[in-house]
Amino acid sequence: MSRSPGRKQENDKISRELFVLTYGALVAQLCKDYEKDEDVNTCLDRMGYGIGIRLIDDFLARSGVKKCRSYSETADMIAQVAFKMYLGVTPSVICSSAAGNEFSLILDKNPLVDFVEELPAERASLCYCNLLCGVIRGALEMVHLAAEVTFLQDRLKGDAVTEIGITFLRKPEDRKHKR
Amino acid sequence: MAIFSVYVVNKAGGLIYQLDHYAPRADTEKTFSFPLDLVLRPHDERVVVAFGQRDGIRVGHAVLAINGAEVNGRLTADGKDVLEFLGNPANYPVSIRFGRHRLSSNEKLMLASMFHSLFAIGSQLSPEVGSSGIEMLETDTFKLHCFQTLTGIKFMVLADPRQTGIDALLRKIYEIYSDFALKNPFYSLEMPIRCELFDQNLKLALEVAEKAGPFGPGS
């Protein structure tokens, strides 16, 4: 993270536990408020979207990265720079379509599920970390990249890994000469 | 070395923040006797000097005050028409203050939108493919620097031509915006920024940039 010299170095970090607990409390409350798993997932996604549209400028301001020239560059940027900056983990990126617009981020460590073993039986289709999908979707939308972001695999549901799928919806040719 | 003003324009071209940090006011007040050797004419809502530049009174300067009382557009403080008043020899000798008129907020809004459009036209006109828009506009008396983020927000800084470090300042303003405006949960995106912390930190950043002077922290 690069901060210019004029700014006070903020070494007073907040504890990771508090953050993970807060997220857990959020999901727990949503589960109480909504009966259906889909509703909770949608709500988490919406919240994440609200975070993503604001977080993108923070990311761009701090990392100073240049405009990405391809979808794969974008996916790499999300995995290697953004995830590292905000969650301290670096997922690996796989391109899962010949057209070059579908990518998967494989997370082997996910700080948000530090204290969660598995989902309760009545919440089998809950996407616990759906907030992350919303964040990615919101952030991409603000840089004019429409995308669908979902969880393809989830360790909490018994899969081997946690996989986030990003599908970019528009062709890069549409964005030529813009700005 | 001075930074004159900062403008923040949203994606749609609307001005969402404006700060006048330093205005080089060059007001000139002089006493005149009849007949007035300046040619005055009405322009928009003001009376401006059309001809007869002298002694610091330049063409384009507006009549700001007569005999110490500020004029109200084209009318004097008493409600009389300025040109009529100055055409009457009985009112002389008279002391008139001339200077550049300050922009009203509506005018600033309009100018910001206009710049937004010119910025876009600039990128279209460029012979190079994939150019950004206007990044710098240089004149004798000021330089306008513009930085557009990947999200479409533009930060503009008007500064003295000799001021350096403006690029770093623009990036710093972007950071301040992403912190104190965006992270404020009660601030709606694309709306005018009314965040006290944003104001304070911006002014601090401007002061730091100005103090660094012409040998700025590398731009």
Side-chain angles (χ1 to χ4, degrees), chain A residues 2-4 7 53-54 56-58 60-62 65-67 142-144 177 179, chain B residues 11 124 129 131-132 148 150-151 172 174-175 177-179 181-184 187 189:
Chain A
S2 57
R3 293 188 188 225
S4 28
R7 189 178 164 135
I53 59 178
R54 292 164 184 261
I56 179 68
D57 275 312
D58 180 79
L60 291 172
R62 302 222 184 287
V65 294
K66 296 273 171 285
K67 192 176 166 103
M142 295 301 272
V143 285
H144 318 289
H177 301 301
R179 308 203 176 270
Chain B
K11 287 191 252 259
Q124 302 285 337
V129 167
S131 293
S132 76
Q148 181 175 261
L150 292 175
T151 48
K172 181 87 181 103
Y174 187 24
E175 268 186 42
Y177 167 76
S178 79
D179 279 342
L182 291 185
K183 296 203 181 91
N184 181 343
Y187 168 68
L189 256 55

Side-chain angles (χ1 to χ4, degrees), chain A residues 45-59 131-143, chain B residues 151 182 189:
Chain A
D45 186 82
R46 249 203 331 252
M47 280 189 214
Y49 180 80
I51 295 175
I53 59 178
R54 292 164 184 261
L55 201 66
I56 179 68
D57 275 312
D58 180 79
F59 171 68
L131 194 92
L132 290 180
C133 293
V135 173
I136 298 174
R137 183 171 66 89
L140 286 173
E141 194 172 300
M142 295 301 272
V143 285
Chain B
T151 48
L182 291 185
L189 256 55

Side-chain angles (χ1 to χ4, degrees), chain B residues 7 35 43 49 56 77 90 98 107 133 136 146 163 167 177 180 184 186-187 194 197 200 203 211-212:
Chain B
Y7 291 74
H43 176 74
V49 176
F98 292 94
E107 283 171 332
M136 183 161 70
C146 179
Q163 181 76 40
D167 276 345
Y177 167 76
F180 300 104
N184 181 343
F186 303 113
Y187 168 68
R194 304 231 184 283
L197 285 172
Q200 286 170 8
K203 287 185 183 132
K211 269 199 199 94

Side-chain angles (χ1 to χ4, degrees), chain A residues 146-157:
Chain A
E148 266 172 25
V149 189
T150 48
F151 270 92
L152 298 175
Q153 290 190 77
D154 198 344
R155 271 229 186 87
L156 292 180
K157 294 187 186 151

